[in-house]
Amino acid sequence: MEKLVLGYAPTRRFTFSKEDAMKYKQLIKEKMESFGLGIDIVDLEGINEEGLLYERSEEAAIIKKFQDAKVDAVFFPHCNFGTEDTVARVAKAIGKPVLLWGPRDEAPLENGMRLRDTQCGLFATGKVLRRFNVKFTYITNCSVEDPTFERGFKNFIGAANVVKHFSSLRILQISTRPSDFWSVICNEGELLERFGIQIHPITLDELKQKTLKIEKTDTPELLEAIQYIKTTLDWSSVTEENVRRIASLKVAMKQLAAETRSTAIAIQCWSTLQDLIGIMPCLANAILTDEQIPVTCETDIHGAITSIMVQAATLNTHPTFFADITVRHPENPNGELLFHCGNFPVSLSVEEKPKLNKHFLFDDHSPGTHEGEIKGGSMTLARFDGDHGEYSLFLGKARGIEGPFTRGSYVWVEVNDWPLWEEKLVKGPYIHHSVGIHANVVPVLFEACEYIPGLTPDPVDPTEQEIRAWLRGSDLNKPSMVVSQ
């Protein structure tokens, strides 16, 4: 995955201390780098001797530098009062997510003079950004070492990465939706017009031809996929030929995604594919999802969109899993089963060697499902969906719990108030499909929606008020706050 590129434009104003502004420019950059996020930072060194934004005559050079570097977001830390009009013009020209923050001011000197007046400048810049119709993220004015800064910065970087991947999203659609699945109907034209999301459709016959062609070869890519399956899974229930075909299908799907420059796949996983090549695609889906190419079942385009957003919220460091929200826990009133036939990433399995099996629902019992329970812990569940021209992003957090054995890929989870979740999911615009990830990224996805016109965040737990309080740092002295990162 490409790294996120951050434009770093620390700013000052001539009437305040240049020396202190330069000191904080360095302190802030060192702090950002200490977070270990793996981002590329493009600063203003070379624009002037200070590496600071303050001269209006240098505005064009700053814009060009950021545009040439193809920055994905811009951070304008106010190292003293700052130059609000230039900040706004640069932000407007770049057109990417903007982070506004400044380090908390020290007490006045003994002679009554103040060196920075950073907070005052933040008020001014916020107003001017609004005048320029620039969306921006704000972190509470605090010290460089304050946990609020680290929390807000990391959250912004995650949100900017979501926006980056969302804005360049192309989905490989393998065949139409199954005829019985009216719930996954989507408006392809509206997705393109509203969000710029492209869909590249191909037929199952195209996938079949490519799979069978690859199967006859011994390319390193195919041999690696076969070896992965044999080493990682218990494949005793299927044949050597089954393993080779499943591996060939995985390689074919990955190549088709690369050829079409797609970052996610939505596939008609049953039942025509089994008639064509005699296998289920579940394990192939699982392996690709582990490789950061999420695959959704039943040609669920909105599910694929969700998967890319959720994956990007972790800076592409965690795999997603695509699940049916299925049945309530037999004993826990807030418990629910997340399940699918056999597509959850292998890396999430609780078993040392999870089972490669034959499908347990369809009459042909074709091989290719990856079955077993996945690990619990803290998770985020999300769903991008819409109808009647309105789109929203369902957000909630859950934790894994004990529950009875079931077939397929599964995990039992507990949420704060299941009847509330159920009401929201049934009344829509959502369906039974969701995307899970083992990370708390609700605040990241919530913030990302600020930069995606036409997409409304719809958090159920934590609430919008709790998310905003957490981002402000209001919970640091209030142990009762529930959101964690």
Side-chain angles (χ1 to χ4, degrees):
M1 288 289 177
E2 294 180 0
K3 290 183 178 180
L4 183 126
V5 182
L6 178 68
Y8 180 53
T11 180
R12 75 172 181 90
R13 179 163 288 189
F14 69 94
T15 51
F16 295 92
S17 170
K18 177 178 74 173
E19 292 73 22
D20 260 46
M22 293 183 68
K23 178 183 78 173
Y24 274 99
K25 175 196 77 169
Q26 187 62 28
L27 287 173
I28 295 166
K29 187 174 183 181
E30 290 172 359
K31 193 63 179 176
M32 289 190 297
E33 292 172 339
S34 75
F35 297 149
L37 298 178
I39 61 176
D40 287 336
I41 299 174
V42 179
D43 58 31
L44 300 186
E45 302 304 322
I47 297 293
N48 55 49
E49 293 181 357
E50 300 174 20
L52 291 165
L53 181 155
Y54 67 97
E55 284 284 2
R56 293 178 177 87
S57 61
E58 294 168 348
E59 177 186 312
I62 294 170
I63 292 169
K64 184 176 187 305
K65 183 170 187 178
F66 285 165
Q67 288 177 336
D68 289 348
K70 297 181 179 179
V71 300
D72 301 302
V74 187
F75 179 25
F76 295 98
H78 283 43
C79 298
N80 62 31
F81 190 98
T83 308
E84 72 263 27
D85 58 314
T86 305
V87 167
R89 282 193 290 268
V90 171
K92 183 72 172 180
I94 300 302
K96 302 291 184 178
V98 167
L99 178 60
L100 179 63
W101 173 79
R104 185 170 173 172
D105 299 288
E106 299 82 6
L109 301 176
E110 290 185 2
N111 63 6
M113 297 299 291
R114 300 186 307 277
L115 296 176
R116 294 189 294 116
D117 274 19
T118 292
Q119 185 190 55
C120 189
L122 292 168
F123 294 141
T125 300
K127 178 64 172 179
V128 180
L129 286 171
R130 285 178 55 84
R131 291 288 194 196
F132 275 74
N133 294 312
V134 172
K135 292 282 187 181
F136 65 95
T137 297
Y138 177 70
I139 303 174
T140 303
N141 178 228
C142 61
S143 75
V144 176
E145 300 299 329
D146 194 304
T148 302
F149 173 60
E150 179 175 357
R151 175 185 292 183
F153 182 81
K154 289 180 176 179
N155 201 79
F156 171 77
I157 293 299
N161 199 50
V162 173
V163 175
K164 171 183 179 178
H165 288 273
F166 184 90
S167 62
S168 60
L169 182 50
R170 180 179 296 169
I171 299 167
L172 175 63
Q173 177 184 320
I174 302 177
S175 191
T176 60
R177 63 175 174 84
S179 58
D180 290 337
F181 270 66
W182 286 57
S183 54
V184 299
I185 289 174
C186 76
N187 188 325
E188 180 182 347
E190 192 169 75
L191 289 174
L192 179 60
E193 294 161 2
R194 180 78 62 86
F195 303 113
I197 295 172
Q198 301 177 31
I199 298 172
H200 187 103
I202 65 169
T203 66
L204 283 172
D205 188 65
E206 289 176 78
L207 178 62
K208 169 192 171 182
Q209 297 302 327
K210 193 169 189 68
T211 299
L212 297 182
K213 183 178 180 180
I214 290 169
E215 187 180 59
K216 296 175 183 177
T217 70
D218 280 317
T219 63
E221 194 175 7
L222 175 58
L223 296 177
E224 181 183 351
I226 293 171
Q227 183 62 29
Y228 174 84
I229 293 171
K230 290 184 174 181
T231 303
T232 311
L233 293 102
D234 173 4
W235 58 285
S236 58
S237 296
V238 303
T239 68
E240 182 96 29
E241 290 75 18
N242 295 152
V243 170
R244 187 174 187 88
R245 181 153 293 181
I246 292 165
S248 300
L249 176 63
K250 179 264 176 180
V251 172
M253 291 168 68
K254 188 169 184 177
Q255 288 183 1
L256 285 164
E259 290 167 8
T260 60
R261 300 197 306 278
S262 301
T263 53
I265 301 172
I267 183 172
Q268 186 200 101
C269 48
W270 59 272
S271 57
T272 303
L273 186 63
Q274 291 77 67
D275 297 335
L276 289 173
I277 57 176
I279 58 169
M280 297 295 299
C282 308
L283 177 59
N285 298 352
I287 298 172
L288 287 167
T289 301
D290 245 337
E291 294 180 359
Q292 300 285 304
I293 305 173
V295 184
T296 56
C297 311
E298 287 106 15
T299 325
D300 186 352
I301 298 295
H302 288 173
I305 295 169
T306 314
S307 298
I308 286 294
M309 296 181 73
V310 172
Q311 178 177 275
T314 68
L315 297 183
N316 302 91
T317 58
H318 291 63
T320 60
F321 62 95
F322 181 73
D324 280 357
I325 302 174
T326 312
V327 298
R328 297 185 72 173
H329 195 283
E331 299 171 356
N332 188 328
N334 288 316
E336 185 73 13
L337 175 64
L338 303 180
F339 152 92
H340 231 284
C341 306
N343 64 324
F344 291 4
V346 180
S347 66
L348 300 180
S349 175
V350 298
E351 300 292 336
E352 184 177 348
K353 278 213 166 187
K355 191 81 170 174
L356 170 53
N357 220 327
K358 297 178 181 179
H359 204 286
F360 54 94
L361 287 177
F362 301 117
D363 291 338
D364 57 21
H365 298 297
S366 297
T369 60
H370 158 236
E371 292 196 44
E373 185 178 6
I374 64 168
K375 66 182 181 179
S378 179
M379 309 174 201
T380 293
L381 301 179
R383 174 72 188 181
F384 170 98
D385 220 323
D387 51 43
H388 298 86
E390 297 182 356
Y391 292 84
S392 56
L393 184 65
F394 176 91
L395 298 168
K397 62 188 187 68
R399 67 176 186 88
I401 58 173
E402 295 293 325
F405 166 77
T406 187
R407 293 293 301 271
S409 299
Y410 72 96
V411 63
W412 291 92
V413 297
E414 181 182 46
V415 301
N416 65 323
D417 181 353
W418 177 254
L420 175 62
W421 283 57
E422 184 175 296
E423 178 185 46
K424 190 176 281 283
L425 291 168
V426 171
K427 295 189 76 173
Y430 313 109
I431 64 169
H432 61 294
H433 286 170
S434 68
V435 174
I437 199 163
H438 289 77
N440 288 318
V441 292
V442 172
V444 175
L445 293 163
F446 180 88
E447 187 67 24
C449 290
E450 290 284 328
Y451 297 99
I452 303 174
L455 180 59
T456 303
D458 189 11
V460 63
D461 178 35
T463 65
E464 178 176 345
Q465 292 76 17
E466 288 173 323
I467 295 169
R468 292 190 184 280
W470 182 81
L471 290 171
R472 290 194 300 268
S474 300
D475 67 306
L476 292 175
N477 296 314
K478 296 180 181 178
S480 62
M481 279 296 290
V482 294
V483 186
S484 61
Q485 182 81 338

